[in-house]
Amino acid sequence: MTGSPAFAGDASAGADVFKSECAECHSIKEGRNKKGPSLFGVVGRKAATVSDYEYSDALHAQSSWVWTPEQLHSYLAQPAKRANPGTKMKYDGLNDPKQLDDLISYLGTLH
């Protein structure tokens, strides 16, 4: 799938974006949740399905969401409260397209 955000970024640069944008609330280790759920294996996972994390009702209501690169791009490019009103996630969004592509590429390596 050429041109997809998952393949447009630099995963090693995305690791740095993760550290600055996500690591305070999310772990990359399988089974290790922080304020937010672990992001290990997030790309391709259905939303709100980490079994030992208590999601908001707002995210549970998105049962059809799968964290594809496109869905992650849409969600992370805007404030979380706009992307999914009622969410617990406090994030203002990442408005740098290159950093966003790099981050999503990095998340795709976590499996």
Side-chain angles (χ1 to χ4, degrees):
M1 201 185 262
T2 308
S4 169
F7 301 100
D10 175 347
S12 63
D16 291 333
V17 177
F18 178 87
K19 287 175 191 159
S20 67
E21 296 288 321
C22 314
E24 180 181 334
C25 297
H26 295 277
S27 169
I28 59 169
K29 294 183 186 207
E30 186 173 19
R32 181 164 188 271
N33 299 320
K34 293 169 90 172
K35 291 178 198 173
S38 169
L39 296 182
F40 181 87
V42 68
V43 176
R45 182 170 73 205
K46 285 191 69 152
T49 58
V50 170
S51 62
D52 59 346
Y53 184 79
E54 191 174 322
Y55 292 93
S56 66
D57 290 342
L59 196 55
H60 275 295
Q62 304 302 337
S63 62
S64 65
W65 280 9
V66 174
W67 293 121
T68 62
E70 295 77 16
Q71 182 69 45
L72 285 163
H73 192 279
S74 173
Y75 191 83
L76 297 172
Q78 59 186 318
K81 301 241 182 261
R82 185 178 317 140
N84 188 25
T87 187
K88 295 191 303 186
M89 185 166 157
K90 293 174 175 49
Y91 186 63
D92 292 333
L94 184 57
N95 59 11
D96 180 313
K98 180 180 179 342
Q99 285 187 333
L100 188 54
D101 286 349
D102 292 347
L103 174 61
I104 293 168
S105 291
Y106 173 68
L107 293 175
T109 70
L110 304 176
H111 50 80

